[in-house]
Amino acid sequence: MTTRTTTLLRPTLNLRRQTGLLEKIAAFLALFSERRRLAAMPDHMLADLGITRREAEAEARRSIWDSPSHWQA
């Protein structure tokens, strides 16, 4: 007579993968927020940064996944 052992397979929790996803989402939200704040700045503050109102508004219209190349891994 043979004894059969069954094990319950549980999905493993991959915290590293989830942390990476959460970090990306946080970065996208931060980028979105920064772009909206840039668009809301008065003209004299934009001039201090060396950009025009048109450039600030164009930056604010970019999508959140359109991030700077140095952010992409």
Side-chain angles (χ1 to χ4, degrees):
M1 185 166 152
T2 60
T3 304
R4 187 180 252 181
T5 305
T6 60
T7 58
L8 179 61
L9 297 177
R10 294 183 183 146
T12 58
L13 183 61
N14 188 343
L15 292 177
R16 183 181 192 126
R17 181 175 166 204
Q18 289 180 350
T19 301
L21 177 62
L22 294 177
E23 288 173 352
K24 285 181 182 182
I25 291 170
F28 285 148
L29 292 175
L31 180 60
F32 176 80
S33 177
E34 289 291 324
R35 286 178 173 164
R36 295 299 172 245
R37 280 188 258 161
L38 181 69
M41 284 184 175
D43 290 337
H44 72 277
M45 290 179 76
L46 293 173
D48 287 345
L49 295 173
I51 61 174
T52 65
R53 167 68 46 206
R54 179 178 280 169
E55 291 169 329
E57 289 173 353
E59 181 67 25
R61 283 191 302 271
R62 292 173 67 181
S63 59
I64 59 172
W65 52 83
D66 187 9
S67 61
S69 60
H70 66 276
W71 282 20
Q72 300 168 4

